[in-house]
Every structure is written in structure tokens, then in C-alpha cells.
DNA sequence: CCCTGATTCGC
DNA sequence: GCGAATCAGG
């Protein structure tokens, strides 16, 4: 992914709105939060209002990795399966009571079309955002490609990170 | 352990 | 310019 004008503008907007680097990375897709932070700094946007004054970081040892242990462990490959159900239901009950709201034109967001997967079709790489009444026949999960840093697609990752009062129904 | 932003430096 | 690795902290 390259930093197109559109992506840079979205980055600026979301950063100004106060979203964290990881949240923005999920929105943009295809980039890590480190990439976002790096870009923010190169754009000289790091200030972002009255945030906690940066304590001025110390310099990193320029060389000599030392015999300490910079070795990075191999992929942990954790399993999310055991908590998928609980997480999904928690989100469901938390988000469902929110009244449907009109999408404001200023939001300028793309609402993804749900693949309407059932629980057995979910994998580590599918969005686990639940839609509908869990007890109804229509209940399903978004199922779109999950972001790199979470169980939701870029769109639902954003919803999940917003306060419940700001969430909207999707798919 | 989860997360946050900040910094360095090889590419 | 880019971003992984790393750091310092909540």
C-alpha cells in the first residue's frame, strides 16, 4: 500500500479526530500502526492538540545489539477460537440497543456488504461483527476480511472502537 | 498481557 | 520516504 493523497487525507482527518494509530491503521487497511505513526511524524502531525507532553524519549543504543536477547520469538500463533462466541455476543448486546441513526454525509464512509457467514464459517481472517438477533434465523456475522490487528474488517473495526453512543448498525 | 505514541535506522 | 523493531509508559 502506498500513501495516496486520499489515504493521507483520511489519515489526517482520523488523527485529528483523536483516533489511535492502530484504529487508523484498521481504517486504512494494508498498513500497520507503526506505519501510521511513522507517517504522522513525517507529516509533523504528532502534536495533536493538548496531549500529554512527550517526555522526550531517550536515544536508542546506536549499535552493538549486545548479547542480551534481541532475538524475536517465532510466531506465537495464538488461538482466538475459544473466545470468539463470547466476544461476539458481548459486542452484540452492547451495540444492539443503539437506535439506528442516519448516516451523516460528512462521515464519508463505505459500508461493506456483509457476507452473512454463520459461526462455523468464521476463521481468523474473517470479520466477526455480529448482525441481527442471535436467536433469529437471520442472525449472521459480517464475514468480510478482518483487519490485521483485530477480529473485524476495517469498517467494523472503526465501529467497535467508537463509544456505544456513536455506533451505527451496519451490513 | 493488553494497549498507547516516540524514536531509530536499515532499506 | 517508509515502517519494523524497539522503547517507555498507561
Amino acid at each position: 500500500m502506498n500513501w495516496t493523497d486520499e489515504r493521507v487525507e483520511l489519515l489526517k482527518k482520523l488523527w485529528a479526530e483523536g483516533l489511535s494509530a492502530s484504529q487508523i491503521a484498521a481504517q486504512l487497511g494494508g498498513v500497520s500502526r507503526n506505519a501510521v505513526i511513522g507517517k504522522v511524524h513525517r507529516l509533523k502531525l504528532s502534536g495533536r492538540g493538548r496531549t500529554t507532553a512527550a517526555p522526550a524519549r531517550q536515544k536508542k543504543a546506536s549499535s552493538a545489539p549486545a548479547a542480551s536477547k534481541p532475538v524475536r520469538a517465532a510466531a506465537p500463533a495464538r488461538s482466538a477460537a475459544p473466545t470468539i462466541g463470547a466476544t461476539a455476543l458481548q459486542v452484540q448486546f452492547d451495540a444492539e440497543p443503539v437506535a439506528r441513526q442516519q448516516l451523516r454525509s460528512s462521515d464519508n464512509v463505505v459500508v461493506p456488504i456483509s457476507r452473512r457467514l454463520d459461526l462455523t464459517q468464521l476463521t481468523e481472517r474473517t470479520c466477526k461483527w455480529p448482525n441481527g438477533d442471535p436467536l433469529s434465523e437471520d442472525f449472521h456475522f459480517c464475514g468480510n476480511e478482518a483487519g490485521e490487528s483485530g477480529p473485524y474488517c476495517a469498517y467494523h473495526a472503526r465501529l467497535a472502537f467508537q463509544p456505544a453512543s456513536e455506533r451505527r448498525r451496519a451490513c
Side-chain angles (χ1 to χ4, degrees):
Chain A
M1 273 301 198
N2 63 318
W3 288 105
T4 62
D5 288 349
E6 288 71 31
R7 289 166 65 78
V8 172
E9 286 306 308
L10 182 54
L11 165 60
K12 289 180 179 177
K13 177 194 171 191
L14 298 178
W15 184 257
E17 289 178 359
L19 295 192
S20 70
S22 62
Q23 292 173 325
I24 295 173
Q27 281 293 290
L28 293 172
V31 291
S32 67
R33 75 178 197 92
N34 276 324
V36 170
I37 291 173
K39 187 59 179 176
V40 164
H41 278 250
R42 286 189 295 276
L43 290 171
K44 296 178 168 56
L45 302 173
S46 54
R48 184 149 69 169
R50 296 288 84 82
T51 314
T52 303
R57 235 187 134 289
Q58 291 190 340
K59 286 185 65 178
K60 186 172 87 176
S62 57
S63 60
S68 297
K69 37 77 180 178
V71 182
R72 207 159 195 69
R78 63 184 172 188
S79 171
T83 58
I84 290 176
T87 300
L89 287 177
Q90 182 174 343
V91 171
Q92 174 69 24
F93 291 133
D94 189 19
E96 200 62 345
V98 178
R100 192 184 202 105
Q101 298 177 33
Q102 290 286 325
L103 280 176
R104 293 171 298 173
S105 58
S106 60
D107 286 346
N108 188 33
V109 296
V110 176
V111 180
I113 297 175
S114 174
R115 290 175 63 199
R116 304 181 73 86
L117 302 184
D118 63 42
L119 188 56
T120 65
Q121 295 175 300
L122 295 177
T123 74
E124 292 90 340
R125 302 183 191 290
T126 55
C127 178
K128 299 169 185 62
W129 186 270
N131 288 298
D133 185 333
L135 301 180
S136 78
E137 292 288 316
D138 189 55
F139 180 71
H140 61 271
F141 293 87
C142 169
N144 287 310
E145 183 177 356
E148 296 179 6
S149 60
Y152 303 120
C153 62
Y155 181 79
H156 286 124
R158 183 177 184 185
L159 291 189
F161 279 122
Q162 293 182 328
S165 61
E166 293 296 320
R167 288 184 196 145
R168 306 180 192 80
R169 296 291 306 285
C171 290

